[in-house]
Amino acid sequence: MRNAFISGVGGHVPPRVVTNDDLVADYGVETSDEWIQKRTGIQSRRFAEAGVGNADLALPAAQKAIAQAGIKAADLDMIVYATLSPDHCFPGSGVLLAEKLGLCEGAGASFTPAMDIRNQCSGFVYGLGTASSMVKSGACEHVLVVGSEVHSAALDLSGRGRTVSSLFGDGAGAAVVSATDEDRGIQYWKCGADGRYAHVLAQKIWDISKRPFIPQDGDGNGIVAPEMMFANMDGRTVFRHAVERMCFAVISACTASGITGDDVDLYLFHQANMRINQYVAKQLGVPEHKLIHNIDRYGNTTAATIPLLMAEAVETGRLKPGMTVACVAFGSGFTWGSALVRW
Ligand code: UT7
């Protein structure tokens, strides 16, 4: 039977470490190390320098994943690129990455198709599911799934924006999903969405129903008010739904696959808040040794949290062939997703 397995993973974070104290001292955010650590578990995050775009950050992660898969970039049949902070409104960052990977020039140009997924924190799981289906159907041999975010450029670092700006960091992760006849790989995936809560966590920037879509001054310059320019979030509502949906998504994945939580060797939870993950772990009875985190060091890197966890777990030997891995994510939309992977 044709299966889809993860043949390579890679992660990349920008070098600049920004601690909670740095947010206060360097950016003037009205917060404290104590508040952020107590409410979220975040100690620091990475910020990319000005001039570094989303696909720039994704490139090293993608190259590492491709090398670990033992293939060349030109062997990819598709790029699926998950982000909520794309380089531009359009075109998507997937085509920018394809160009950076050298897929669009020279005799061996493959002109590999690239598509962006706009599903925020659950974007990587949506991408993994898409890649798995493309490979299992026989349409593709190798699909690169990317989760990459440059949040630092779009954070409201004033007192008004502290609830959001304290949480997010920059980073990128990637995985190559490849075909195999072995009994391993992505055994199950399922995603969900509830648009009734679309307004609860959103960065609207413009309103396409308005004429023009961004208000203009007399000289034709666009005017974007801060509440439109930056993300807005009702944190408590997101928190409550995240715990419920993530628990249900893991239970559904195990039930549908005929296994129990005890059969899972490693849980890769989306990294939005350490407290969310502690609640989920408690509800599901997941012991601490089956969890790994990076929120303490990277903050919430949205689409990049899970592939970054994967890359680190492989590098440190926590994730080994034969292990059963449960991935689960929840975020803006609301959207969520889970996947069970036999590594
Ligand atoms: O990736 C998926 C998307 N995001 C999430 O999953 C986030 C889910 N939500 C959360 O993680 C939490 O709700 C937050 C960490 C965002 C907020 O924690 P909370 O315990 O729910 O705090 P809160 O929003 O109820 O605010 C409590 C107080 C408020 O002050 P008052 O009104 O009680 O005086 C806030 O203004 O904390 C204040 N506050 C802060 N104080 C210092 C909010 N943000 C900060 C801050 N520093 N950064």
Side-chain angles (χ1 to χ4, degrees):
M1 187 182 142
R2 188 177 168 94
N3 283 315
F5 80 114
I6 297 179
S7 55
V9 287
H12 176 71
V13 290
R16 180 144 181 257
V17 178
V18 177
T19 64
N20 297 334
D21 285 335
D22 293 338
L23 277 185
V24 179
D26 299 349
Y27 296 92
V29 180
E30 291 168 29
T31 187
S32 67
D33 177 54
E34 191 198 353
W35 191 97
I36 298 175
Q37 285 216 44
K38 196 168 154 208
R39 305 277 181 133
T40 70
I42 298 167
Q43 295 171 20
S44 62
R45 73 285 291 138
R46 302 296 180 96
F47 278 4
E49 301 301 331
V52 176
N54 191 306
D56 295 324
L57 214 56
L59 181 62
Q63 287 169 328
K64 286 179 206 168
I66 291 164
Q68 198 175 92
I71 61 170
K72 295 190 191 65
D75 296 326
L76 294 170
D77 299 301
M78 178 173 261
I79 296 171
V80 178
Y81 199 112
T83 185
L84 68 72
S85 53
D87 293 81
H88 306 295
C89 171
F90 71 83
S93 292
V95 297
L96 304 185
L97 178 65
E99 194 274 331
K100 288 177 195 295
L101 284 168
L103 302 177
C104 311
E105 259 178 312
S110 55
F111 300 110
T112 305
M115 67 176 180
D116 279 29
I117 288 192
R118 302 288 303 278
N119 284 82
Q120 301 70 248
C121 301
S122 49
F124 182 80
V125 179
Y126 270 73
L128 210 55
T130 306
S132 167
S133 300
M134 294 301 287
V135 168
K136 283 186 181 175
S137 72
C140 297
E141 284 295 310
H142 304 286
V143 178
L144 177 70
V145 186
V146 174
S148 178
E149 305 289 2
V150 179
H151 287 301
S152 54
L155 294 176
D156 181 357
L157 295 164
S158 71
R160 185 186 45 225
R162 65 183 180 180
T163 312
V164 172
S165 59
S166 312
L167 306 183
F168 293 93
D170 302 341
V176 176
V177 176
S178 301
T180 180
D181 291 328
E182 292 172 26
D183 181 19
R184 63 184 295 205
I186 301 162
Q187 318 262 295
Y188 169 96
W189 69 274
K190 188 165 183 168
C191 293
D194 188 347
R196 288 176 299 172
Y197 298 95
H199 61 283
V200 171
L201 173 50
Q203 184 182 8
K204 295 188 176 166
I205 301 190
W206 70 71
D207 183 343
I208 210 77
S209 71
K210 300 243 169 76
R211 306 289 182 273
F213 71 120
I214 289 174
Q216 287 173 292
D217 66 17
D219 295 326
N221 299 310
I223 307 161
V224 185
E227 62 271 20
M228 291 292 279
M229 186 162 165
F230 300 112
N232 285 289
M233 173 172 72
D234 169 356
R236 286 190 177 186
T237 302
V238 179
F239 194 112
R240 189 162 44 85
H241 284 262
V243 172
E244 280 171 23
R245 288 290 180 195
M246 287 169 72
C247 286
F248 189 70
V250 172
I251 292 167
S252 303
C254 290
T255 308
S257 308
I259 63 170
T260 71
D262 291 345
D263 298 318
V264 176
D265 300 299
L266 195 64
Y267 288 85
L268 304 182
F269 289 167
H270 171 54
Q271 306 283 298
N273 186 324
M274 191 72 96
R275 281 165 53 226
I276 292 179
N277 292 356
Q278 284 165 346
Y279 273 110
V280 173
K282 195 173 167 201
Q283 298 281 330
L284 297 173
V286 175
E288 185 59 36
H289 73 269
K290 289 190 176 183
L291 286 168
I292 53 172
H293 307 287
N294 60 29
I295 189 164
D296 49 339
R297 289 164 292 137
Y298 301 152
N300 183 350
T301 55
T302 53
T305 61
I306 290 176
L308 274 170
L309 287 173
M310 281 179 179
E312 285 187 352
V314 168
E315 204 175 311
T316 58
R318 269 304 280 284
L319 189 42
K320 298 189 187 75
M323 288 176 83
T324 297
V325 182
C327 308
V328 62
F330 176 90
S332 158
F334 292 146
T335 60
W336 58 90
S338 61
L340 276 180
V341 185
R342 178 103 49 79
W343 207 261

